[in-house]
Amino acid sequence: MTHTKLATSLGELTVVREDGALTGLYFPRHWPRPDRTAFGPRADAGFEDVARQLGEYLAGDRSAFELPLKANGPDFDQRVWELIAEIPYGQTTTYGDLARDLGAGTDPRDVGAAVGRNPLSIVIPCHRVIGSTGKLTGYAGGLERKRALLQIEHAGVLRTGHAPVAGLW
């Protein structure tokens, strides 16, 4: 494990890698707080691809990441993160929709807890998950960052000529 800190338009991000795969992307005061002792030593070299792709995404010039990922967590969480990764750029879904996709008996609150444990904010786009009323709900980096990420995607979608989900903007 190694990590670095990247300055971005959303503030400083801590990026963690293990064996070449991205394992963590965290905001300052990230909630829930990750175990920083597991980040390994700081190594400012070797994160150029992450920095470039994040910069392109935050500028509205990239809609998908092409990075090797390794999201560690329980099976249920990983199933939720896989569903989140399938939400198209510029679109949103709800915790309830994800729960229905996981099958009968899945509680949207359990889905919300798994979304909150996503170790790869932005790259696994948990900012695309909203409340059933369309309201922006919890985000590890804060609601202002969630709103900013959705606005970036809305602008990117408009540039490509695709219509965003109605009602968010």
Side-chain angles (χ1 to χ4, degrees):
M1 291 271 212
T2 58
H3 78 279
T4 195
K5 295 187 184 260
L6 299 176
T8 74
S9 59
L10 292 179
E12 185 177 79
L13 296 172
T14 299
V15 182
V16 184
R17 267 206 163 138
E18 179 181 8
D19 298 326
L22 191 63
T23 60
L25 191 116
Y26 303 103
F27 295 101
R29 295 187 269 312
H30 195 96
W31 189 257
R33 292 188 64 77
D35 178 9
R36 296 183 192 291
T37 62
F39 289 179
R42 184 166 175 165
D44 292 329
F47 291 88
E48 296 80 9
D49 56 342
V50 178
R52 178 181 52 77
Q53 290 188 39
L54 276 171
E56 291 168 355
Y57 170 82
L58 293 171
D61 297 328
R62 172 178 287 277
S63 61
F65 292 93
E66 298 167 1
L67 299 165
L69 306 178
K70 182 180 174 188
N72 296 313
D75 289 344
F76 178 80
D77 291 3
Q78 290 197 23
R79 289 184 12 232
V80 171
W81 302 336
E82 288 169 7
L83 288 175
I84 294 169
E86 295 172 5
I87 303 167
Y89 179 86
Q91 295 187 28
T92 60
T93 194
T94 67
Y95 300 96
D97 288 338
L98 291 174
R100 280 186 287 285
D101 289 346
L102 288 167
T106 304
D107 189 318
R109 292 172 294 198
D110 293 336
V111 170
V115 170
R117 290 187 292 268
N118 173 14
L120 292 165
S121 296
I122 303 175
V123 178
I124 295 177
C126 54
H127 58 276
R128 296 178 189 158
V129 183
I130 60 174
S132 61
T133 63
K135 182 178 178 183
L136 298 187
T137 57
Y139 186 65
L143 291 182
E144 287 304 312
R145 286 189 180 106
K146 185 172 189 166
R147 185 174 290 108
L149 289 165
L150 291 171
Q151 288 172 342
I152 288 166
E153 292 192 9
H154 177 65
V157 166
L158 290 177
R159 276 200 301 273
T160 62
H162 296 98
V165 173
L168 277 183
W169 293 277

